[in-house]
Amino acid sequence: MSSRTTTMAFAALKDELTCSICLNIYADPIVLRCGHNFCRLCIDHVLDSQETSGVYSCPDCREKFLERPALQSNLKLSNISEHVHSTQPAQPETEIFCSNCLDSPVPAVICCLHCEASLCDNHLKVHSKSQEHVLMEPCSSQRMKKCSSHQKPLTYYCRDDDSCICVSCLLNGGHREHQVIDINEAFKKKMGSLKSIMAKGASMREEVEEKIQSLQMHKERTAAKTARLVDHTNVTFKDIRRQTDILGKRILSEIARRGEQTSLSISDLIQRLDIRKDDLSRKMRHMEKLCNTTDPLSVLQDQGADDKYFLDREQADICTRVVEITNAVDDLDESLISKMVRKGLSGIMGDGGITTFFTANEATEILLDVHTAANNLHVSGDLKTVSCSEEHQNRPETPERFEEYKVLSTRSFTSGQHYWDMDTCKSGGWRVGVAYPSVERRGPLALIGKNTKSLGLRRSGDSYFIRYNEKESRINHKATCEKIRIYLDYDAEQVSFYELSDPIALLHTTNIACTQPIHAVFAVYDDGWVRLRN
C-alpha cells in the first residue's frame, strides 16, 4: 500500500473519529439515543444551551428529546480514540493540497464549503459558479467553516449570541429577532476592534515598562542610599561612642576629683576637731576641779575661770566647720553630676552632632548670582542677602535675568549631598527652593514651583506651603522660627526642607528628576528678604 493511500485511509479514519462540535478527535466519547457520538464536554455544553427552551435535540440529526438525554459512554469508540491519540503526535499545520489532484500533491488556493473540497488553480477554473458553492480560503478542516447543526456555510454573525451562524440558523433557528450582520462586515469590525485593542495594549505595555524601569531605578537609588546611610550611621555611632567614652571618663574623673577633695577636707576637719575636743576636755576637767574647790581665793584668782567667751567661741567654731563639711559634701550632689551628663550629651546630639550629620556633613557655601537677579530686587555687596527694591536697579536685560522677584545661586550641583541655611523674614513674602538653569525667566511659568523645573517653600503666618509642578500643598507643621535649611541629595533625587528650630524639624521631602544641574533659587516680594547664613 502506497504512503498516499495510507495517508488517505488514516484521514478517513480520523474523520470518523472527529466530534462534529469541536472538530477534534473524541475525548471521552458518549453516544445519544439516535446513535450519534460526541465528546462528553461538547454535548454537555450544547444541552446546557438548550435547557432554557425545554427542547433538546441532537446537533447532527436534529432528533428531538422530551427530556435531557442520558449520556452513555461509548467504550469501544473511546478505546479507538485513545489509541489514535497515543500513536499520532501533534503535527504542525501543513500546506493544504487540492482534493482533485490525486497523482501528485498540488497546493490549494481556495476551498468550497458546499463540496467540502480544496481546489488548485486548474480545478477552480472548471468549478461550479453556483451561489450554493461558497468559496473561502483553504482550511485543513472544511467542517470548521460549516454550521454543525445544518451543515451549511457560516455566512452570518449573531451579535446577541456572539456566534457565527448559517442561513438556516437565521431563518429557522432562534436568531430571527437577534442583531445579525454579514460575516465579512463582522470580520471588518472585529479586526478594527482588535487593532484598537492592540494599540491600546501597546500603549499600556509601554507605560508599564516605563513604570518598571522607574521602579527599578528607584530600587537602585534606594539600595545606594541605604548603603550610604548604613555607612554614615556606623560612622556616626562610632563617633558618638568615642565622644561618650570621652565624656564618661571626664565626668568620672571629675567625680573622683570632687570626692577626693571632699574626703581630704573632711579628714582635715576631723583632725582639727579632734584637737579641739581634746582641748575642750582638758579645760572642762580644770573647771570641774575648780568647782570642787572650797577655797575662794583659788577660784577667784584663776584666770581661766574668767574666760567667758570660751564656750561660745568654741561652739561657733564647731558650727562653722560643720557648715564647711556640709558644703563640701554638696559638691557631690547627684543633680550636679546629672547636669554635667545632660550638658555633655546635648553637645554630642545637638546641632553640632548627630542631627546635623543626617542632613549633611558640612554646610555648602553659595552666593547669589546678580546676573540672574530681577531688577526689582536688591542684592547685597557680599552676595548673601536679597530684598525687595523700591527703585529699578537698571541692570542690563539679558536672557538669564528674571523678569521679577527671583534670583539663582552662582553655584550649581550635579552630584552629592549639599545643604545651605538662611534667615527669612516673618512678615514679608518669600519662597526658597531649587531650580534647573533652564527654568523660565518670564511669564507665569517662571514662578517657583509652577513647573517641573523648580520647587519652592513659602511661609504664610504660622504655616508653610510647598509648591511643585503647579500643585501647592500645606505642610502640617506650625512655624516656630525664621531659620530654614534646604538639603539636596542629587544622587537620590530628593530635596528636603528643615526648620532650624530646637530641635531641628523636617518640614517636607520631595522626589525630583535630577536630569540637569540644580541651583538654589530665591524669591522675595511684599517687602520680604532672605539672607544666606553660611
Side-chain angles (χ1 to χ4, degrees):
M1 182 180 293
S2 66
S3 59
R4 181 176 177 83
T5 305
T6 302
T7 301
M8 292 179 65
F10 177 76
L13 174 62
K14 186 176 179 181
D15 191 58
E16 290 297 326
L17 297 175
T18 299
C19 172
S20 62
I21 298 176
C22 66
L23 303 179
N24 294 318
I25 295 178
Y26 292 118
D28 189 13
I30 59 92
V31 59
L32 294 181
R33 197 167 56 222
C34 58
H36 291 108
N37 298 284
F38 307 94
C39 298
R40 181 178 294 275
L41 288 178
C42 295
I43 192 61
D44 263 339
H45 289 157
V46 171
L47 296 176
D48 287 343
S49 64
Q50 295 174 347
E51 190 170 0
T52 55
S53 63
V55 178
Y56 301 94
S57 62
C58 172
D60 280 354
C61 65
R62 314 305 293 176
E63 179 179 343
K64 294 185 177 358
F65 308 103
L66 296 179
E67 296 180 354
R68 180 168 181 147
L71 303 182
Q72 182 179 355
S73 297
N74 190 332
L75 297 179
K76 184 177 181 179
L77 192 60
S78 177
N79 292 333
I80 298 174
S81 299
E82 290 180 3
H83 178 72
V84 172
H85 273 299
S86 63
T87 57
Q88 295 296 320
Q91 299 291 333
E93 188 174 348
T94 58
E95 189 175 4
I96 308 301
F97 297 101
C98 178
S99 305
N100 298 323
C101 295
L102 301 179
D103 295 334
S104 61
V106 177
V109 297
I110 205 76
C111 70
C112 176
L113 295 184
H114 180 74
C115 301
E116 295 189 7
S118 301
L119 306 173
C120 63
D121 282 326
N122 293 330
H123 287 98
L124 176 61
K125 294 176 181 177
V126 298
H127 190 70
S128 173
K129 302 299 188 292
S130 174
Q131 290 185 353
E132 64 180 353
H133 291 269
V134 179
L135 302 179
M136 301 190 73
E137 292 182 1
C139 178
S140 58
S141 176
Q142 308 303 330
R143 301 184 69 177
M144 292 179 63
K145 304 292 183 77
K146 282 190 173 185
C147 176
S148 60
S149 300
H150 305 105
Q151 302 303 314
K152 291 185 179 181
L154 299 172
T155 54
Y156 297 96
Y157 176 76
C158 178
R159 301 176 68 176
D160 292 352
D161 294 338
D162 192 20
S163 61
C164 299
I165 62 175
C166 67
V167 64
S168 296
C169 293
L170 176 61
L171 298 177
N172 303 320
H175 301 275
R176 281 179 292 183
E177 296 183 0
H178 291 180
Q179 295 185 19
V180 177
I181 59 176
D182 182 77
I183 197 168
N184 291 323
E185 181 183 354
F187 169 73
K188 292 179 181 179
K189 291 184 176 180
K190 185 72 171 181
M191 290 299 293
S193 176
L194 289 175
K195 290 179 180 179
S196 176
I197 293 174
M198 286 181 63
K200 186 176 181 180
S203 176
M204 293 174 65
R205 183 179 62 186
E206 182 178 354
E207 182 180 355
V208 170
E209 289 176 350
E210 291 178 355
K211 296 292 185 184
I212 292 174
Q213 185 177 6
S214 175
L215 288 174
Q216 188 64 36
M217 292 175 62
H218 186 72
K219 180 180 178 182
E220 293 172 358
R221 290 197 301 269
T222 300
K225 186 172 184 180
T226 299
R228 179 172 58 83
L229 286 175
V230 168
D231 292 341
H232 284 187
T233 302
N234 288 332
V235 171
T236 300
F237 279 94
K238 182 178 180 180
D239 186 60
I240 290 174
R241 286 191 292 270
R242 180 184 62 81
Q243 293 188 56
T244 52
D245 287 344
I246 294 173
L247 175 64
K249 291 178 181 179
R250 180 165 59 85
I251 293 176
L252 289 174
S253 176
E254 180 66 17
I255 292 173
R257 186 190 67 79
R258 287 171 179 261
E260 184 178 359
Q261 183 180 9
T262 303
S263 180
L264 290 174
S265 298
I266 293 173
S267 297
D268 180 63
L269 288 173
I270 290 175
Q271 185 178 2
R272 292 169 63 185
L273 289 176
D274 282 339
I275 295 173
R276 289 292 185 183
K277 183 182 72 171
D278 292 342
D279 185 53
L280 182 62
S281 297
R282 181 180 56 81
K283 290 181 180 294
M284 291 295 293
R285 286 195 300 270
H286 177 71
M287 290 183 181
E288 183 179 0
K289 183 178 178 179
L290 290 176
C291 289
N292 294 325
T293 299
T294 58
D295 183 9
L297 292 175
S298 298
V299 175
L300 294 175
Q301 291 178 352
D302 192 324
Q303 295 181 354
D306 293 332
D307 196 359
K308 299 178 180 180
Y309 60 88
F310 168 73
L311 292 177
D312 292 339
R313 185 184 63 189
E314 290 298 324
Q315 185 66 26
D317 191 45
I318 292 173
C319 292
T320 300
R321 295 298 182 266
V322 171
V323 171
E324 291 176 355
I325 293 173
T326 304
N327 290 337
V329 173
D330 285 342
D331 286 344
L332 284 173
D333 185 24
E334 289 85 348
S335 63
L336 294 176
I337 303 302
S338 178
K339 288 179 181 179
M340 293 175 62
V341 173
R342 288 199 301 270
K343 185 177 180 180
L345 291 176
S346 177
I348 296 173
M349 306 299 288
D351 285 345
I354 187 171
T355 304
T356 300
F357 176 83
F358 277 109
T359 54
N361 292 326
E362 184 178 351
T364 303
E365 180 78 17
I366 62 172
L367 299 174
L368 302 173
D369 186 1
V370 70
H371 296 96
T372 64
N375 274 316
N376 61 351
L377 296 183
H378 177 266
V379 178
S380 63
D382 61 0
L383 303 180
K384 291 188 177 182
T385 302
V386 58
S387 57
C388 295
S389 175
E390 296 180 358
E391 298 181 359
H392 191 274
Q393 296 297 305
N394 294 320
R395 302 186 187 103
E397 294 293 342
T398 62
E400 291 78 21
R401 190 173 308 286
F402 284 100
E403 183 178 15
E404 53 184 7
Y405 302 130
K406 289 167 287 298
V407 60
L408 293 178
S409 63
T410 56
R411 184 175 179 181
S412 64
F413 307 99
T414 56
S415 64
Q417 296 80 41
H418 313 273
Y419 79 86
W420 50 95
D421 298 342
M422 65 207 76
D423 294 318
T424 61
C425 56
K426 186 174 182 179
S427 58
W430 55 265
R431 192 185 295 268
V432 295
V434 295
Y436 291 152
S438 61
V439 67
E440 298 291 336
R441 307 303 169 101
R442 285 168 172 75
L445 291 181
L447 297 176
I448 300 176
K450 272 289 189 177
N451 45 67
T452 57
K453 297 181 179 181
S454 62
L455 163 70
L457 173 83
R458 74 176 177 92
R459 174 176 171 175
S460 177
D462 292 334
S463 299
Y464 290 107
F465 296 84
I466 193 78
R467 186 167 68 189
Y468 179 60
N469 196 17
E470 297 190 6
K471 296 180 180 178
E472 185 170 63
S473 56
R474 183 175 180 176
I475 297 173
N476 187 23
H477 176 83
K478 185 176 181 181
T480 59
C481 76
E482 286 71 54
K483 295 178 177 60
I484 299 296
R485 170 172 295 171
I486 299 178
Y487 170 62
L488 167 66
D489 189 336
Y490 192 98
D491 301 326
E493 298 188 322
Q494 286 185 339
V495 176
S496 299
F497 297 88
Y498 293 84
E499 182 186 68
L500 298 181
S501 50
D502 186 17
I504 186 172
L506 173 63
L507 299 178
H508 186 78
T509 296
T510 300
N511 292 317
I512 61 174
C514 293
T515 58
Q516 300 180 30
I518 290 182
H519 291 261
V521 63
F522 310 88
V524 293
Y525 47 91
D526 297 338
D527 296 327
W529 57 266
V530 172
R531 180 170 54 250
L532 292 169
R533 302 186 67 209
N534 48 323

